């Protein structure tokens, strides 16, 4: 048996491990007991790279918001600001659970803002496009 000190989520434990292939030890195996340990400093946060797929921080335009019905990734944005759309026009293609979902215009109108880019990750309820 070999003894090791292991830290899990900031809690230190002393454990005994039997070596595989070695002669079995006659020592009884006992449950891991917490060991007092000095606080461990959190690892320094890695610098965050600018994600090219991040949604722009543009303000929503005037009009009715078209929201994401589910979380997913934007595969394609089919419209741009100023486009005239009719009820049922595909605005955005959203991938969720390995399926492509077309987000359609709920009414006729003009696109006043597009708040997502291709490759962006969205949550349910995020505004994708606004229509006036």
């Amino acid at each position: 048996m070999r003894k090791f000190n292991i830290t899990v989520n900031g809690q230190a434990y002393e454990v005994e491990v039997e070596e595989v292939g070695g002669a079995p030890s006659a020592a009884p195996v006992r449950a891991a007991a917490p060991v007092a340990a000095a606080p461990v400093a959190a690892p320094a946060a890695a610098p965050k790279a600018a994600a090219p797929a991040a949604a722009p921080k543009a303000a929503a335009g005037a009009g009715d918001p078209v929201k994401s019905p589910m979380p997913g990734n934007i595969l394609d944005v089919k419209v741009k600001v100023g486009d005239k759309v009719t009820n049922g026009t595909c605005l955005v293609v959203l991938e969720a659970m390995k399926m492509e979902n077309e987000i359609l215009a709920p009414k006729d109108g003009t696109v006043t803002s597009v708040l997502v880019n291709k490759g962006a990750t969205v949550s349910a309820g995020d505004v994708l496009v606004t229509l006036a």
Side-chain angles (χ1 to χ4, degrees):
M1 291 284 202
R2 296 184 62 187
K3 290 186 180 183
F4 295 94
N5 288 327
I6 298 176
T7 304
V8 177
N9 293 332
Q11 180 67 43
Y13 296 93
E14 181 181 305
V15 294
E16 292 181 2
V17 180
E18 181 178 350
E19 293 183 53
V20 177
S25 172
V29 177
R30 57 188 170 115
V35 175
V40 178
K48 293 183 181 180
K57 299 297 181 191
D64 298 324
V66 177
K67 297 180 179 182
S68 175
M70 64 195 89
N73 297 318
I74 302 299
L75 294 181
D76 197 11
V77 178
K78 301 282 191 181
V79 295
K80 60 185 182 300
V81 174
D83 286 354
K84 304 268 189 231
V85 296
T86 58
N87 185 9
T89 301
C90 179
L91 303 173
V92 175
V93 179
L94 174 71
E95 178 193 28
M97 298 187 311
K98 304 293 182 193
M99 295 188 64
E100 294 183 14
N101 301 281
E102 292 184 341
I103 308 303
L104 306 177
K107 65 174 190 167
D108 295 350
T110 302
V111 177
T112 57
S113 67
V114 178
L115 301 172
V116 292
N117 291 326
K118 182 177 179 178
T121 300
V122 296
S123 298
D126 286 356
V127 178
L128 307 173
V129 175
T130 54
L131 299 175

